[in-house]
Amino acid sequence: MSSVEYRTILRYRLMIPIFPKDELSGFKYRHDLVRDLLFNIFRRARISVKKEALVNFLTDPQEVRLTLRPEDVLVFGRIGGKHVCVNLTGVSPLVGVGVGDFTVGRAALKAAS
């Protein structure tokens, strides 16, 4: 292990920031970066998409009021002619400290609940 790797791992384990705050401004920055990259990939593939689209699919049809919520990326008419909503969820690598098992989709299930 090189000295750079050792220092980086040690800082990570001691929860000392690895990057300066001005270099990585947090979860929102990373979330928006991934959203924009995904959006640009769809656009370059000539797939019709919209960023931060307001949709109303979580509201009970019996309710009179509409609850519009922004989705990160809305892909138009791709799956059987239906639209697809893509919502990104960021997870801190420090959230699972002390938890031995890693479960795929845990963050999505937690966000949905």
Side-chain angles (χ1 to χ4, degrees):
M1 177 183 304
S2 73
S3 60
V4 173
E5 290 171 325
Y6 179 78
R7 283 194 308 267
T8 304
I9 291 170
L10 183 62
R11 290 179 74 140
Y12 174 77
R13 294 297 240 163
L14 295 174
M15 296 187 207
I16 298 171
I18 297 171
F19 301 103
K21 287 196 180 258
D22 58 344
E23 188 174 329
L24 290 177
S25 58
F27 291 112
K28 180 69 172 148
Y29 168 80
R30 286 182 283 174
H31 171 272
D32 291 349
L33 178 69
V34 173
R35 181 203 59 209
D36 293 343
L37 287 171
L38 185 63
F39 178 77
N40 289 336
I41 289 169
F42 280 124
R43 294 290 293 229
R44 286 181 182 219
R46 302 199 189 283
I47 296 172
S48 181
V49 292
K50 184 174 181 182
K51 188 173 14 174
E52 294 294 325
L54 295 175
V55 296
N56 186 35
F57 72 92
L58 294 176
T59 303
D60 183 7
Q62 302 299 325
E63 290 185 22
V64 178
R65 65 184 174 91
L66 296 176
T67 307
L68 297 175
R69 299 169 193 249
E71 294 300 318
D72 291 325
V73 178
L74 178 62
V75 184
F76 294 102
R78 296 307 297 176
I79 307 296
K82 295 182 180 181
H83 307 319
V84 176
C85 296
V86 178
N87 221 337
L88 304 170
T89 303
V91 180
S92 168
L94 301 177
V95 169
V97 172
V99 177
D101 297 336
F102 176 78
T103 306
V104 176
R106 179 183 293 171
L109 293 172
K110 194 169 188 176
S113 67

